[in-house]
Amino acid sequence: MRFRHPDGSTVHLAYCTNVHPAENLDGVRAQLRDHCEPVRRRLGRDRLGIGLWLAKDAARALTNDPSALRSLRSELEHRGLEVVTLNGFPYVGFGAQEVKYRVYTPDWTDPERLAHTTDLARLLAALLPDDVTEGTISTLPIAWRTPFADDPTAAGTAQKALVTLAQRLDALAELTGKSIRIGLEPEPGCTVETTADAIAPLTGVGHDRIGICVDTCHLATSFEDPDSALDALDAAGVHVAKAQLSAALHAEHPHLPEVRSALGAFAEPRFLHQTRTLTAAGLRGTDDLDEAVSGGALPDSTPWRSHFHVPLHAPPAPPLTSTLPVLRSALTRLVGGPQPLTRHLEVETYTWQALPAGLRPRTRSQLADGIAAELTLARDLLTDLGLKELP
């Protein structure tokens, strides 16, 4: 979906296909047929943006076979789909029964992360619509905090890899005329947990092709104020490559038994749900939601937020809610000013099948309805900010 900003530029809205995990190229094609095109039809649009997730094997197949890449591009056009952004964070196995900490490997100290991201950049340059010259890729925020923090060489190795990537992106732009930017995506528990944590490594790279991806669920989980966070990035000269529109789980009164019980229903075995609370002494947290609800690991006199991407249009029932207000505030700052801070927006609710059983979609049709409803909400937020939806 495309929108005209009041400054005349085009803002793109997509939804991320990591909600339909596929490990190979056949699986990606099935996503387009079984999920993405039905969502587009529900929205009544001739064109729908998707934030494509290409796992290792799918990316490698496209890299090694130019005819397969041309065929995928043709299929996207045939189904009324367009790609201006990729999710390069998960590498493999995102649809496994247990993902948890594995999603953070390989990290930016591993040459395979650089190789994979380089492949993604080349593929995105080939998949961009003819009238689009800029693409973006979100990626791992360098590494999970351990064992990275204990390795004195890790930070230097990761920074060298990012500098190499920036050089490759320069060469790609010169060769293709397509500018691809990368956004580190701060996430609780990682070495870059907050937007503030991103400033030093990104200014150290010293290249405008490497910036930040602002995920509004992660922003909220860490209790960051959107205006302060974006002000600091701007002052440091760190650009926002893309933003992921998502909402976290919020519990206002975690000391109450009924609230603990409601939170416990969201503790599940597939994904990591880092949980945080902001106290007078600072931010406190656990790596997963079950650690928080099962004992005294977190103070419970202040609200809790958990890294669980809940559907934008359907916050959980009381006594819980979502951090949609943080998303609204961030979006206002990102695209509501005289010029947009980013032109690539992506709805990223990958946890539909991890929701409590009574809230999960039971059919493909129900899932498509839910994703279409999220995109409709995002569209309404954008038009309320003065953007005009384009055909």
Side-chain angles (χ1 to χ4, degrees), residues 283-295:
L283 200 64
R284 297 279 301 279
T286 61
D287 281 358
D288 215 345
L289 180 56
D290 57 357
E291 301 171 42
V293 300
S294 63

Side-chain angles (χ1 to χ4, degrees), residues 80-104:
L81 306 169
E82 67 176 12
V83 176
V84 303
T85 190
L86 300 180
N87 188 327
F89 194 140
Y91 176 71
V92 69
F94 202 59
Q97 289 300 307
E98 182 178 334
V99 178
K100 299 290 184 182
Y101 295 95
R102 287 186 292 174
V103 76
Y104 306 107

Side-chain angles (χ1 to χ4, degrees), residues 165-199:
L165 176 64
Q167 294 167 345
R168 292 178 180 179
L169 295 177
D170 280 343
L172 181 66
E174 185 173 347
L175 179 67
T176 66
K178 306 290 187 179
S179 176
I180 308 299
R181 290 185 169 187
I182 307 297
L184 301 186
E185 182 185 332
E187 178 169 314
C190 293
T191 184
V192 174
E193 173 158 338
T194 66
T195 56
D197 294 334
I199 290 174

Side-chain angles (χ1 to χ4, degrees), residues 56-121:
K56 173 193 68 172
D57 289 346
R60 196 154 294 167
L62 291 168
T63 300
N64 293 337
D65 186 352
S67 65
L69 180 56
R70 290 192 296 269
S71 176
L72 178 62
R73 181 186 168 106
S74 296
E75 185 164 358
L76 287 164
E77 293 173 355
H78 172 71
R79 298 192 182 280
L81 306 169
E82 67 176 12
V83 176
V84 303
T85 190
L86 300 180
N87 188 327
F89 194 140
Y91 176 71
V92 69
F94 202 59
Q97 289 300 307
E98 182 178 334
V99 178
K100 299 290 184 182
Y101 295 95
R102 287 186 292 174
V103 76
Y104 306 107
T105 57
D107 64 29
W108 277 100
T109 65
D110 188 328
E112 183 52 35
R113 175 60 68 172
L114 173 60
H116 178 62
T117 309
T118 302
D119 285 345
L120 293 180

Side-chain angles (χ1 to χ4, degrees), residues 20-335:
H20 322 297
E23 297 297 317
N24 55 42
L25 191 51
D26 285 343
V28 171
R29 293 185 182 279
Q31 288 176 343
L32 305 183
R33 179 192 67 231
D34 297 338
H35 300 288
C36 301
E37 187 175 6
V39 170
R40 178 183 66 77
R41 293 185 181 280
R42 278 164 172 76
L43 292 166
R45 307 299 298 162
D46 293 333
R47 174 174 53 191
L48 175 67
I50 57 171
L52 199 59
W53 174 59
L54 296 172
K56 173 193 68 172
D57 289 346
R60 196 154 294 167
L62 291 168
T63 300
N64 293 337
D65 186 352
S67 65
L69 180 56
R70 290 192 296 269
S71 176
L72 178 62
R73 181 186 168 106
S74 296
E75 185 164 358
L76 287 164
E77 293 173 355
H78 172 71
R79 298 192 182 280
L81 306 169
E82 67 176 12
V83 176
V84 303
T85 190
L86 300 180
N87 188 327
F89 194 140
Y91 176 71
V92 69
F94 202 59
Q97 289 300 307
E98 182 178 334
V99 178
K100 299 290 184 182
Y101 295 95
R102 287 186 292 174
V103 76
Y104 306 107
T105 57
D107 64 29
W108 277 100
T109 65
D110 188 328
E112 183 52 35
R113 175 60 68 172
L114 173 60
H116 178 62
T117 309
T118 302
D119 285 345
L120 293 180
R122 291 169 178 159
L123 294 173
L124 180 56
L127 291 174
L128 287 175
D130 289 338
D131 62 344
V132 174
T133 59
E134 295 185 356
T136 56
I137 302 172
S138 48
T139 188
L140 178 76
I142 299 184
W144 185 252
R145 67 182 185 276
T146 56
F148 184 94
D150 299 323
D151 181 352
T153 68
T157 301
Q159 186 171 73
K160 183 178 178 180
L162 291 170
V163 169
T164 300
L165 176 64
Q167 294 167 345
R168 292 178 180 179
L169 295 177
D170 280 343
L172 181 66
E174 185 173 347
L175 179 67
T176 66
K178 306 290 187 179
S179 176
I180 308 299
R181 290 185 169 187
I182 307 297
L184 301 186
E185 182 185 332
E187 178 169 314
C190 293
T191 184
V192 174
E193 173 158 338
T194 66
T195 56
D197 294 334
I199 290 174
L202 288 176
T203 53
V205 170
H207 202 296
D208 66 0
R209 293 201 190 278
I210 313 294
I212 196 168
C213 169
V214 174
D215 183 301
T216 58
C217 170
H218 303 173
L219 190 80
T221 300
S222 294
F223 287 86
E224 291 195 77
D225 172 69
D227 287 328
S228 299
L230 293 168
D231 280 345
L233 292 174
D234 182 60
V238 175
H239 75 271
V240 181
K242 65 185 278 190
Q244 289 174 325
L245 308 184
S246 53
L249 194 62
H250 180 95
E252 186 68 19
H253 302 292
H255 65 285
L256 297 176
E258 60 269 27
V259 175
R260 292 289 186 102
S261 177
L263 282 170
F266 285 83
E268 53 84 34
R270 179 177 294 182
F271 300 113
L272 207 59
H273 300 296
Q274 303 93 311
T275 303
R276 299 288 186 266
T277 187
L278 185 61
T279 71
L283 200 64
R284 297 279 301 279
T286 61
D287 281 358
D288 215 345
L289 180 56
D290 57 357
E291 301 171 42
V293 300
S294 63
L298 272 189
D300 60 7
S301 59
T302 50
W304 288 1
R305 290 177 179 172
S306 187
H307 171 220
F308 195 118
H309 290 223
V310 295
L312 302 186
H313 68 294
L320 304 179
T321 187
S322 81
T323 60
L324 185 62
V326 177
L327 186 161
R328 291 177 185 269
S329 178
L331 190 62
T332 298
R333 183 62 190 279
L334 287 165
V335 300

